[in-house]
Amino acid sequence: AQSVSQHNHHVILSEAASLELGCNYSYGGTVNLFWYVQYPGQHLQLLLKYFSGDPLVKGIKGFEAEFIKSKFSFNLRKPSVQWSDTAEYFCAVGVGKLVFGAGTILRVKS
Amino acid sequence: GAGVSQTPSNKVTEKGKYVELRCDPISGHTALYWYRQSLGQGPEFLIYFQGTGAADDSGLPNDRFFAVRPEGSVSTLKIQRTERGDSAVYLCASSPYPTGPSYEQYFGPGTRLTVT
């Protein structure tokens, strides 16, 4: 069965700290991977996606993610977080319909 | 341009009642998806339309749930004999294509359904 596991449900960081959110997936066939973000009071929006090619993907707002096929992982990173990055982050995998992880709530302290 | 819109934003209903939730996708998007998000969980796939037809309804939990998209644009998710366990945020998403490198799902704000 297809599944996505996000390792941390809550993360608290101070501004300027580095961020890495873990995501592991189990999926048969072609792997399309996504990170979505939901800011407080807003709807889900795409941060970045991986379809093929360079496994290091750069997204909006300074986020990046690395696809490591041997580890079935697609971790999200940002070198220096800002207070405005406070949000819930979802990893997802799929072709057509998406399978989402449970989400990681990130709180950045100013 | 306008994004995906969903109405109502909130719906409170009594157990056993029938509800309809509406989704207006981005104009021109052929693919439309419904997801359900329970508290503390990620979105869970319900059904996917390509045009007017349901391409994949494997996520519908039981026959109380039904969705239509008669003209290939607006979609309605229908829930009969609602149960308290149906309480969740129902999300709609659309995309211009169902697959491919440009593929991205654009999500609406959701409808929060509360069954009392």
Side-chain angles (χ1 to χ4, degrees):
Chain A
Q2 304 156 6
S3 66
V4 175
S5 175
Q6 293 185 238
H7 310 307
N8 307 97
H9 195 56
H10 282 94
V11 173
I12 302 174
L13 294 173
S14 298
E15 276 193 308
S18 64
L19 169 72
E20 181 160 3
L21 301 182
C23 172
N24 286 91
Y25 65 91
S26 169
Y27 192 84
T30 303
V31 175
N32 296 333
L33 293 154
F34 306 83
W35 275 98
Y36 278 84
V37 61
Q38 187 165 26
Y39 296 104
Q42 297 186 27
H43 52 265
L44 278 166
Q45 58 185 281
L46 184 70
L47 263 183
L48 48 79
K49 59 187 178 185
Y50 171 80
F51 282 81
S52 63
D54 189 344
L56 185 61
V57 180
K58 294 194 183 299
I60 61 171
K61 304 187 180 186
F63 286 91
E64 64 179 31
E66 185 175 13
F67 169 55
I68 303 179
K69 189 175 181 179
S70 61
K71 295 185 178 181
F72 301 94
S73 71
F74 190 57
N75 292 354
L76 181 71
R77 300 194 293 246
K78 185 171 184 178
S80 175
V81 296
Q82 301 172 313
W83 177 81
S84 58
D85 293 324
T86 294
E88 188 162 15
Y89 294 80
F90 294 93
C91 181
V93 62
V95 176
K97 71 182 187 186
L98 297 180
V99 177
F100 284 84
T104 297
I105 297 171
L106 171 66
R107 180 178 153 228
V108 179
K109 299 185 294 183
S110 58
Chain B
V4 177
S5 63
Q6 294 186 245
T7 54
S9 54
N10 279 283
K11 176 72 177 178
V12 180
T13 191
E14 292 180 348
K15 179 175 176 291
K17 298 290 188 184
Y18 167 83
V19 296
E20 290 190 351
L21 311 179
R22 176 186 168 108
C23 173
D24 261 288
I26 293 172
S27 178
H29 281 194
T30 59
L32 185 147
Y33 306 81
W34 284 99
Y35 294 85
R36 176 170 71 173
Q37 187 173 16
S38 301
L39 196 62
Q41 301 295 319
E44 177 188 11
F45 171 76
L46 295 177
I47 186 170
Y48 149 51
F49 288 89
Q50 180 58 28
T52 60
D56 184 343
D57 65 359
S58 61
L60 294 177
N62 51 59
D63 61 6
R64 295 187 297 105
F65 288 74
F66 189 71
V68 295
R69 194 186 185 199
E71 297 177 357
S73 178
V74 170
S75 176
T76 305
L77 179 65
K78 308 180 181 195
I79 310 174
Q80 298 177 322
R81 305 183 304 280
T82 52
E83 299 177 356
R84 292 195 181 90
D86 299 334
S87 296
V89 176
Y90 288 80
L91 297 170
C92 178
S94 70
S95 72
Y97 338 93
T99 59
S102 300
Y103 175 78
E104 174 185 343
Q105 290 187 23
Y106 297 81
F107 282 82
T111 293
R112 181 175 299 278
L113 175 66
T114 303
V115 182
T116 63

